[in-house]
Amino acid sequence: MSKIVSSDKVNDYLERYMEGVDKRNPGQPEFTQAVREVASTVFPYIADKPKYHENQILERMAEPERAISFRVPWTDDKGNVRTNRGYRIQFNSSIGPYKGGIRFHPSVNESILKFLGYEQTFKNSLTGLPLGGGKGGANFNPKGKSDNEVMRFCQSFITELYRHIGEDTDVPAGDIGVGGREIGYMFGQYKRITNRFVGVLTGKGLEFGGSKMRTEATGYGAIFFLRNMLDQHKNTIEGKRVLVSGSGNVATHACEKVLQLGGSPLTMSDSGGFVHCPDGFSQEQIDWVKELKTVRRGRISEAADEFNNITFHEGRPWGVEADCAVPSATQNEINGDEAKTLIKNGIKAVAEAANMPCEQAAVDAFVDADVLFGPAKAVNAGGVGVSGLEMSQNSARIAWSEDDLRKLLENMMNDIHNSCVEFGNTSDGPVDYLAGANIAGFVKVADAMLSYGHV
Ligand code: NDP
């Protein structure tokens, strides 16, 4: 193929490429949205690098190496037989074993897991560790289920999945609806079936091979990245008012790190609405929310009943005036109009701690307004990064100290930030972190694929 250079030609090529992706993946809007986001920044970069076109690298990258779907039967506490659908998308193993979380949520389907597995491939590459990309889950709703029901579901899920995973093949972790409790049940069943104690899942309890700092890693890492973006642009996180959405693992630890670095976390949310604390949440309040969500499994609105300086509101928190936003709940939770409101209210930086929380219109609005925009695959890579370190500790049968792991996490987030700056620097505006993260993640995976020939 001849060299593609003009931007018109690049756009033509992108549109033809996306036509093919759309045609091959009907009814999978989240997945095609994620592919377009990557392709629109990678195509200009590879325009004058024919080896990637001739070897159909982007085409092959958009096709999972393997997509497994399976039946998950289980029995509820009343003795009724229930059936859910489980999945594992083994997306790309070019630079290491498949690695990515398991999500339990009623919205789970193939499109969402393919988008997450695709993104995970680039994210894992950015960590600098030898990790491929994958994602899995089930359309199971853990809300309102008893511990025993969750245990039976996890056991049934792993009774099928165990044959597809392994410490050198595919190493799942947690995600929405899958925390320490669920990982414990799944690891217990894996060990029982295979009679092997190996690092096949990450996010495990500290008593059975888990890593210190794993629970905190995604939220803390996201705020390290936000701090780095602000520092890079001669600003600081100190004194900044930060909007956080979600109230799960990522959100609560993001709030905690904002507080530790001298900022004020103003909001948290769940699917029922958001809570607002104009003074900024205290550590005591954040701990209270952690307990609410992981032990009592209650609703975020209860925080307003408990604390005088917290109010509850329906909807999402993006109308509150603040300096930074860290969406930490789920995909597509900031739309174009909400982005415009944030911009009108003077937002300076947005760091995507959840996966693809900003719709394309929102991303475009932030970039057009020169708001610093940190994409998920860079911002939330600390979680999988420490998961990678958990795998290393499991292989060597050792446990590193919290201090060592905190430093490793912080250094990893600095390195990821530097890679984004290297590939995303612009002469006349803020760093283009979106292009920087996509290209830095792409290059390593693409070059490994070139080495393997057409596999
Ligand atoms: P949790 O299950 O711990 O928490 C999820 C939070 O998001 C809950 O507060 C939940 O509220 C809220 N939420 C979920 N769906 C919706 C919705 N449709 N509308 C509004 N709120 C919603 O998950 P995590 O904190 O682990 O994950 C959050 C995000 O971070 C996800 O995008 C995940 O993929 C991403 N991520 C997580 C990593 C990790 O290490 N855990 C690593 C990298 C990315 P409710 O209880 O009402 O459902």
Side-chain angles (χ1 to χ4, degrees), residues 21 30 68 96 124 135 159 163 172 340 402 436 438:
V21 172
E30 293 86 1
I68 302 152
N124 293 1
K135 199 83 188 186
T159 298
R163 71 192 80 243
K340 282 183 199 145
E402 188 170 325
N438 285 340

mmCIF file of all heavy atoms in Angstrom, residues 21 30 68 96 124 135 159 163 172 340 402 436 438:
data_model
loop_
_atom_site.group_PDB
_atom_site.id
_atom_site.type_symbol
_atom_site.label_atom_id
_atom_site.label_comp_id
_atom_site.label_asym_id
_atom_site.label_seq_id
_atom_site.Cartn_x
_atom_site.Cartn_y
_atom_site.Cartn_z
ATOM 1 N N VAL A 21 -15.701 -2.253 10.800
ATOM 2 C CA VAL A 21 -15.873 -2.602 12.228
ATOM 3 C C VAL A 21 -17.367 -2.614 12.567
ATOM 4 O O VAL A 21 -17.868 -3.536 13.230
ATOM 5 C CB VAL A 21 -15.098 -1.607 13.130
ATOM 6 C CG1 VAL A 21 -15.433 -1.829 14.599
ATOM 7 C CG2 VAL A 21 -13.594 -1.738 12.911
ATOM 8 N N GLU A 30 -21.109 0.110 22.290
ATOM 9 C CA GLU A 30 -20.007 0.470 23.206
ATOM 10 C C GLU A 30 -18.680 0.034 22.607
ATOM 11 O O GLU A 30 -17.670 0.744 22.676
ATOM 12 C CB GLU A 30 -20.194 -0.177 24.581
ATOM 13 C CG GLU A 30 -21.382 0.333 25.379
ATOM 14 C CD GLU A 30 -22.680 -0.386 25.050
ATOM 15 O OE1 GLU A 30 -22.661 -1.319 24.197
ATOM 16 O OE2 GLU A 30 -23.723 -0.022 25.618
ATOM 17 N N ILE A 68 -15.640 -16.214 24.796
ATOM 18 C CA ILE A 68 -16.302 -17.387 25.375
ATOM 19 C C ILE A 68 -17.579 -16.923 26.063
ATOM 20 O O ILE A 68 -17.566 -15.940 26.802
ATOM 21 C CB ILE A 68 -15.378 -18.045 26.436
ATOM 22 C CG1 ILE A 68 -14.050 -18.444 25.803
ATOM 23 C CG2 ILE A 68 -16.054 -19.240 27.093
ATOM 24 C CD1 ILE A 68 -12.894 -18.445 26.788
ATOM 25 N N GLY A 96 1.531 -10.591 26.771
ATOM 26 C CA GLY A 96 1.446 -11.297 28.049
ATOM 27 C C GLY A 96 0.124 -12.022 28.172
ATOM 28 O O GLY A 96 -0.736 -11.916 27.290
ATOM 29 N N ASN A 124 -3.058 -2.079 29.521
ATOM 30 C CA ASN A 124 -2.054 -2.967 30.097
ATOM 31 C C ASN A 124 -0.691 -2.727 29.460
ATOM 32 O O ASN A 124 0.343 -2.807 30.127
ATOM 33 C CB ASN A 124 -2.493 -4.431 29.942
ATOM 34 C CG ASN A 124 -3.726 -4.722 30.793
ATOM 35 O OD1 ASN A 124 -4.241 -3.838 31.460
ATOM 36 N ND2 ASN A 124 -4.198 -5.951 30.758
ATOM 37 N N LYS A 135 -11.384 -9.345 29.404
ATOM 38 C CA LYS A 135 -12.423 -8.872 30.325
ATOM 39 C C LYS A 135 -13.499 -9.947 30.391
ATOM 40 O O LYS A 135 -13.698 -10.690 29.427
ATOM 41 C CB LYS A 135 -13.036 -7.564 29.817
ATOM 42 C CG LYS A 135 -13.760 -6.779 30.876
ATOM 43 C CD LYS A 135 -12.813 -5.920 31.698
ATOM 44 C CE LYS A 135 -13.532 -5.279 32.877
ATOM 45 N NZ LYS A 135 -12.659 -4.329 33.597
ATOM 46 N N THR A 159 -16.873 -22.659 37.918
ATOM 47 C CA THR A 159 -16.894 -24.080 37.547
ATOM 48 C C THR A 159 -16.816 -24.231 36.019
ATOM 49 O O THR A 159 -16.300 -25.224 35.514
ATOM 50 C CB THR A 159 -18.161 -24.754 38.130
ATOM 51 O OG1 THR A 159 -18.073 -24.652 39.544
ATOM 52 C CG2 THR A 159 -18.281 -26.214 37.727
ATOM 53 N N ARG A 163 -11.575 -23.682 33.302
ATOM 54 C CA ARG A 163 -10.848 -24.389 32.232
ATOM 55 C C ARG A 163 -10.232 -23.416 31.219
ATOM 56 O O ARG A 163 -9.441 -23.820 30.380
ATOM 57 C CB ARG A 163 -11.779 -25.394 31.531
ATOM 58 C CG ARG A 163 -12.836 -24.781 30.664
ATOM 59 C CD ARG A 163 -13.917 -25.771 30.212
ATOM 60 N NE ARG A 163 -14.931 -26.034 31.231
ATOM 61 C CZ ARG A 163 -15.143 -27.219 31.790
ATOM 62 N NH1 ARG A 163 -14.460 -28.270 31.434
ATOM 63 N NH2 ARG A 163 -16.081 -27.361 32.711
ATOM 64 N N PRO A 172 -7.956 -13.184 35.642
ATOM 65 C CA PRO A 172 -8.992 -12.175 35.905
ATOM 66 C C PRO A 172 -8.804 -11.455 37.242
ATOM 67 O O PRO A 172 -8.044 -11.902 38.103
ATOM 68 C CB PRO A 172 -10.289 -12.996 35.931
ATOM 69 C CG PRO A 172 -9.965 -14.310 35.319
ATOM 70 C CD PRO A 172 -8.510 -14.547 35.593
ATOM 71 N N LYS A 340 -20.611 20.501 28.842
ATOM 72 C CA LYS A 340 -20.710 21.963 28.637
ATOM 73 C C LYS A 340 -20.967 22.667 29.973
ATOM 74 O O LYS A 340 -20.429 23.749 30.238
ATOM 75 C CB LYS A 340 -21.834 22.277 27.649
ATOM 76 C CG LYS A 340 -21.401 22.028 26.211
ATOM 77 C CD LYS A 340 -22.487 22.418 25.229
ATOM 78 C CE LYS A 340 -22.219 21.726 23.893
ATOM 79 N NZ LYS A 340 -23.444 21.346 23.195
ATOM 80 N N GLU A 402 3.876 -2.525 52.009
ATOM 81 C CA GLU A 402 2.959 -1.482 51.530
ATOM 82 C C GLU A 402 3.742 -0.277 50.998
ATOM 83 O O GLU A 402 3.390 0.307 49.976
ATOM 84 C CB GLU A 402 2.067 -1.063 52.699
ATOM 85 C CG GLU A 402 0.961 -0.149 52.280
ATOM 86 C CD GLU A 402 -0.046 0.072 53.394
ATOM 87 O OE1 GLU A 402 -0.307 -0.857 54.171
ATOM 88 O OE2 GLU A 402 -0.554 1.202 53.469
ATOM 89 N N GLY A 436 -1.893 10.611 23.131
ATOM 90 C CA GLY A 436 -0.672 10.107 23.765
ATOM 91 C C GLY A 436 -0.857 8.708 24.319
ATOM 92 O O GLY A 436 -0.039 7.812 24.096
ATOM 93 N N ASN A 438 -3.298 6.479 23.603
ATOM 94 C CA ASN A 438 -3.632 5.492 22.568
ATOM 95 C C ASN A 438 -2.395 5.078 21.787
ATOM 96 O O ASN A 438 -2.182 3.885 21.526
ATOM 97 C CB ASN A 438 -4.682 6.069 21.602
ATOM 98 C CG ASN A 438 -6.062 6.108 22.230
ATOM 99 O OD1 ASN A 438 -6.340 5.393 23.203
ATOM 100 N ND2 ASN A 438 -6.941 6.924 21.689
#
